[in-house]
């Protein structure tokens, strides 16, 4: 009915003029629709360039988008991380004084720790460098950063192999959760990375159950240091 009335309104005009006018209306509606779709597209910033995909995605996608945007807008990122290389990153990481994702309880400001994590994902350093950062004995926050990176990037087998030895590391760490600074330990951090689905709100990739990997022959059964000491004590008692 509307179309009929619209056509009736064009009576007295030539058929070519009528067709041209209707085409202009159609094209205008299409352009408006395309503009609406374009406005709804979210642009991802800070993508890693010339790197391998991790778990099938660009490495930076391993950090939730909201946190990623806070990192890219942070003063620390703009001042220190934009042109950072892996050696400079290690130096900055040695100066970190707290771990966590957000620096306040409104989740509006990213921590320096999370900024360095995103930069590591962009740089995608060689495994040897990451393992060195994990095992060096001098800077505990460098160890914590490498541990979280390994948990995000490496395979389940490698995660267990590399992180489980740190369950015997009892160095203190400061951690910020929900805007509040608290005390934790390296072994407690490692335990959470191996057993929890999130780290301070950051979603972690799914980790294959250790027992399943043992059944598949990919991992040896784990013995704790305490259990080894108990076994040695028991052997000594039997000898006496």
């Amino acid at each position: 009915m509307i179309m009929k009335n619209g056509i009736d309104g064009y009576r007295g005009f030539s058929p070519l003029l009528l067709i041209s006018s209707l085409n202009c209306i159609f094209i205008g509606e299409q352009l408006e629709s395309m503009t609406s779709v374009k406005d709804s597209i979210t642009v991802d910033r800070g993508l890693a360039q010339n790197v391998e995909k991790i778990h099938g995605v660009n490495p930076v996608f391993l950090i939730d988008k909201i946190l990623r945007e806070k990192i890219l807008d942070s003063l620390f990122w703009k001042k220190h991380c934009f042109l950072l290389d892996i050696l400079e990153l290690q130096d900055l990481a040695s100066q970190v004084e707290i771990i966590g994702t957000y620096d306040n309880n409104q989740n509006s400001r990213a921590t320096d720790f999370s900024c360095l994590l995103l930069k590591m994902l962009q740089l995608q350093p060689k495994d040897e460098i990451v393992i060195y950062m994990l095992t060096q004995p001098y800077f505990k926050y460098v160890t914590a950063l490498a541990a979280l990176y390994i948990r995000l990037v490496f395979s389940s087998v490698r995660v267990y192999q590399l992180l489980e030895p740190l369950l015997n590391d009892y160095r203190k760490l400061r951690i910020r959760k929900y805007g509040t600074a608290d005390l934790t330990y390296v072994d407690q951090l490692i335990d959470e990375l191996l057993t929890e689905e999130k780290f301070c709100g950051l979603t972690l990739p799914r980790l294959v159950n250790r027992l399943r990997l043992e059944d598949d022959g990919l991992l040896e059964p784990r013995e704790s240091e305490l259990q080894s000491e108990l076994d040695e004590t028991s052997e000594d008692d039997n000898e006496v």
Side-chain angles (χ1 to χ4, degrees):
M1 184 65 181
I2 295 175
M3 180 60 74
K4 183 178 182 300
N5 291 337
I7 294 175
D8 288 341
Y10 282 100
R11 287 177 180 173
F13 294 90
S14 67
L16 291 177
L17 179 60
L18 175 60
I19 293 173
S20 177
S21 299
L22 292 176
N23 283 338
C24 288
I25 294 172
F26 175 76
I27 292 172
E29 291 176 348
Q30 293 300 309
L31 289 174
E32 182 178 356
S33 175
M34 291 172 64
T35 301
S36 176
V37 171
K38 182 179 178 181
D39 292 341
S40 66
I41 294 176
T42 301
V43 178
D44 286 303
R45 300 186 293 157
L47 298 183
Q49 304 296 327
N50 303 319
V51 295
E52 296 181 5
K53 289 185 176 181
I54 303 298
H55 307 305
V57 299
N58 191 288
V60 302
F61 288 155
L62 298 175
I63 294 182
D64 302 328
K65 181 171 178 57
I66 294 177
L67 175 57
R68 197 165 68 244
E69 291 295 324
K70 299 298 182 185
I71 291 172
L72 295 173
D73 289 335
S74 70
L75 181 61
F76 182 85
W77 176 270
K78 295 175 181 178
K79 185 177 180 180
H80 298 290
C81 299
F82 191 69
L83 298 176
L84 202 63
D85 61 31
I86 189 60
L87 293 178
E88 295 169 330
L89 185 145
Q90 293 178 67
D91 183 56
L92 275 180
S94 68
Q95 302 172 38
V96 167
E97 297 180 348
I98 194 167
I99 64 175
T101 51
Y102 291 100
D103 205 26
N104 56 0
N105 54 10
Q106 290 84 20
N107 289 352
S108 61
R109 187 172 63 247
T111 60
D112 298 350
F113 182 81
S114 60
C115 290
L116 294 175
L117 176 64
L118 177 60
K119 193 61 186 182
M120 279 192 73
L121 291 170
Q122 286 185 338
L123 294 173
Q124 203 175 68
K126 294 182 179 179
D127 291 357
E128 294 80 2
I129 296 176
V130 179
I131 294 172
Y132 169 76
M133 293 174 63
L134 181 75
T135 56
Q136 55 75 37
Y138 306 107
F139 304 106
K140 55 190 177 182
Y141 289 100
V142 175
T143 296
L145 179 64
L148 180 54
Y149 178 87
I150 288 170
R151 178 64 179 84
L152 288 174
V153 172
F154 284 31
S155 68
S156 295
V157 172
R158 293 286 280 159
V159 167
Y160 286 114
Q161 290 174 337
L162 292 172
L163 296 193
E164 283 182 341
L166 294 178
L167 290 171
N168 299 316
D169 189 335
Y170 308 116
R171 289 177 291 175
K172 295 180 181 179
L173 294 169
R174 293 177 69 237
I175 185 171
R176 188 175 296 281
K177 288 185 177 181
Y178 311 110
T180 302
D182 203 354
L183 185 67
T184 188
Y185 300 86
V186 173
D187 66 313
Q188 185 175 339
L189 169 66
I190 298 302
D191 182 68
E192 291 178 1
L193 292 178
L194 293 176
T195 59
E196 302 294 333
E197 297 179 352
K198 292 188 175 184
F199 165 76
C200 294
L202 173 65
T203 303
L204 301 173
R206 189 181 72 87
L207 196 64
V208 178
N209 185 276
R210 197 188 199 290
L211 292 178
R212 178 180 172 184
L213 295 175
E214 290 178 15
D215 292 339
D216 292 341
L218 299 175
L219 281 178
E220 295 292 330
R222 178 178 178 273
E223 291 187 8
S224 68
E225 188 174 288
L226 178 60
Q227 184 62 46
S228 298
E229 292 178 358
L230 291 175
D231 291 342
E232 291 177 2
T233 302
S234 178
E235 290 177 0
D236 293 339
D237 292 340
N238 291 334
E239 290 178 359
V240 174

